[in-house]
Amino acid sequence: MAEPTKTASANATEALVLAAQQGDHAAFSRLIADMLPLVRRQSAKYKSVLLDSDDLLQEGLLGLMAAVRTYRFGGDASFSTYACVCVNNQIRTALRKVSGAKSVPTAQSVPWEDNLGAAPSQSLEELQDLREECKQILDFIETGLSATEKSVLKLFLSGLSYCEIAEKIGSSPKSVDNALQRVRHKLKK
């Protein structure tokens, strides 16, 4: 039996991922804009008194950024599948952290296929707005964060734990947590 081929859309997405991993900021912005509907759908599944919908969306975006950084080509999962898992994991981790719970229920049960479906069609104006928003976020990360915050964010997005980051930068896990909280607070503004 022949191996299924990837769709043109999946190939285009993976080309953007590769370019973003190689430091192409325009490709990264485009990828974030293209994947934002998926992040919004995933973050909308969760309800929390401790984190509002903007916080959940922000956590989902952090998960997406980590997915871009850590995705490995040639595996069984497409980038969309991998990103969906990373987004959900990041949101669940944030919810567990603020609530102290061992597990986090979703607001609704959504079939897996619905999570990975094509993004709703968007007008060129909406896409341009999303790209501009992504560019502003990237610009802010470069100019609005301290060197320590940028370093901690980069290590966090590469998948390291707080303890591993603390070891790499010669600090404590608590100072890593504080730096990430400052980053979240600054990005939220």
Side-chain angles (χ1 to χ4, degrees):
M1 182 174 195
E3 197 175 301
T5 59
K6 291 183 183 176
T7 64
S9 174
N11 285 335
T13 298
E14 290 197 1
L16 287 173
V17 172
L18 181 60
Q21 287 179 343
Q22 295 172 345
D24 183 339
H25 292 294
F28 183 73
S29 294
R30 169 75 192 265
L31 183 63
I32 297 295
D34 289 352
M35 300 298 290
L36 191 57
L38 177 134
V39 176
R40 284 189 174 134
R41 282 193 308 272
Q42 295 307 307
S43 65
K45 293 188 325 182
Y46 299 91
K47 302 289 182 220
S48 171
V49 200
L50 302 171
L51 293 175
D52 63 21
S53 59
D54 287 341
D55 290 332
L56 293 170
L57 179 62
Q58 180 180 324
E59 290 296 333
L61 285 170
L62 287 173
L64 177 59
M65 293 169 79
V68 171
R69 192 173 211 70
T70 61
Y71 181 70
R72 298 293 173 246
F73 295 90
D76 293 334
S78 70
F79 177 74
S80 293
T81 301
Y82 183 73
C84 189
V85 170
C86 289
V87 165
N88 279 305
N89 287 346
Q90 180 66 37
I91 292 170
R92 286 173 176 264
T93 298
L95 288 170
R96 278 193 305 270
K97 185 175 178 187
V98 298
S99 71
K102 296 260 188 241
S103 65
V104 178
T106 58
Q108 57 194 354
S109 179
V110 179
W112 183 252
E113 304 81 45
D114 289 350
N115 294 337
L116 303 175
S121 58
Q122 296 174 312
S123 70
L124 288 175
E125 184 177 306
E126 290 172 322
L127 285 174
Q128 186 58 37
D129 289 345
L130 288 173
R131 284 188 189 106
E132 182 58 32
E133 193 175 325
C134 290
K135 184 181 179 321
Q136 289 174 350
I137 291 170
L138 289 172
D139 290 345
F140 177 78
I141 288 172
E142 286 301 315
T143 61
L145 299 180
S146 71
T148 300
E149 291 165 345
K150 279 191 275 192
S151 175
V152 168
L153 179 61
K154 180 180 178 182
L155 293 168
F156 177 73
L157 292 176
S158 70
L160 296 181
S161 70
Y162 285 23
C163 291
E164 292 168 324
I165 295 169
E167 188 176 304
K168 280 199 178 275
I169 65 171
S171 187
S172 70
K174 180 61 180 165
S175 62
V176 169
D177 179 54
N178 289 342
L180 286 172
Q181 292 303 324
R182 287 192 308 273
V183 168
R184 286 183 178 107
H185 181 74
K186 288 177 179 181
L187 287 173
K188 189 173 180 180
K189 286 183 179 184

